[in-house]
Amino acid sequence: MTIKSSWKVVLTGLFCLLLIQPVFSEEEKKEGEHDWLVKHPTIQKLLKLHNAERARNGMPALTLNTKMCLEAQEHANWMAQTGYYQHSNLPWPEIIFQGPTSAAAAVNGWIASPAHHSIMLTGSQAGFGYMVLNGNYYWVGVFK
């Protein structure tokens, strides 16, 4: 049986792709690996408060996205550690807040701002993060 040379190239390419596919390893994320964040009471409170506001506006509930929570948390940490209060370069609509000392106060502040409120009502997934450092509170929400 002979294979035309163009098919040999295609088959060789496919074989190479199979060889370079990532192999599951210890570094792969395990189920529940980031529960410390997504199940944290403050993150759950942010989700509950956002979903209550969305329900008042006839919107479906958000679900937490672990990757988005990790990114939001990383940005909250960065703001607290550097003292810079600014938006990130994350690829999702984002709301941030510095100052409020509770999840409820942060969400109420976002609700009071038409621009932030409209972002709260977008998407179906969200990620939240917050950080407290030296008595300063930083809050982050991202949506898709």
Side-chain angles (χ1 to χ4, degrees), residues 46-144:
L46 286 166
L47 179 64
K48 179 181 175 184
L49 293 167
H50 274 79
N51 282 337
E53 180 60 17
R54 288 171 64 90
R56 279 192 290 278
N57 286 273
M59 301 295 296
L62 294 166
T63 58
L64 281 181
N65 177 303
T66 301
K67 179 182 181 204
M68 293 171 70
C69 281
L70 290 167
E71 297 279 346
Q73 185 62 49
E74 184 176 308
H75 187 58
N77 292 348
W78 177 84
M79 287 192 298
Q81 291 166 356
T82 63
Y84 290 114
Y85 174 65
Q86 64 188 41
H87 287 279
S88 69
N89 290 321
L90 293 174
W92 311 292
E94 174 186 69
I95 55 179
I96 61 175
F97 212 157
Q98 178 187 9
T101 59
S102 71
V107 171
N108 287 333
W110 284 325
I111 290 169
S113 164
H116 291 95
H117 188 248
S118 67
I119 293 171
M120 290 173 66
L121 299 179
T122 63
S124 61
Q125 296 179 33
F128 298 108
Y130 82 102
M131 180 65 177
V132 182
L133 186 62
N134 299 325
N136 296 309
Y137 287 70
Y138 296 85
W139 305 89
V140 178
V142 290
F143 304 83
K144 77 171 183 176

Side-chain angles (χ1 to χ4, degrees), residues 22-42:
V23 177
F24 291 105
S25 68
E26 295 292 322
E27 296 176 13
E28 287 292 321
K29 292 186 173 142
K30 296 174 183 74
E31 186 73 29
E33 179 181 6
H34 300 294
D35 283 357
W36 62 269
L37 179 58
V38 296
K39 291 186 178 180
H40 189 279
T42 301

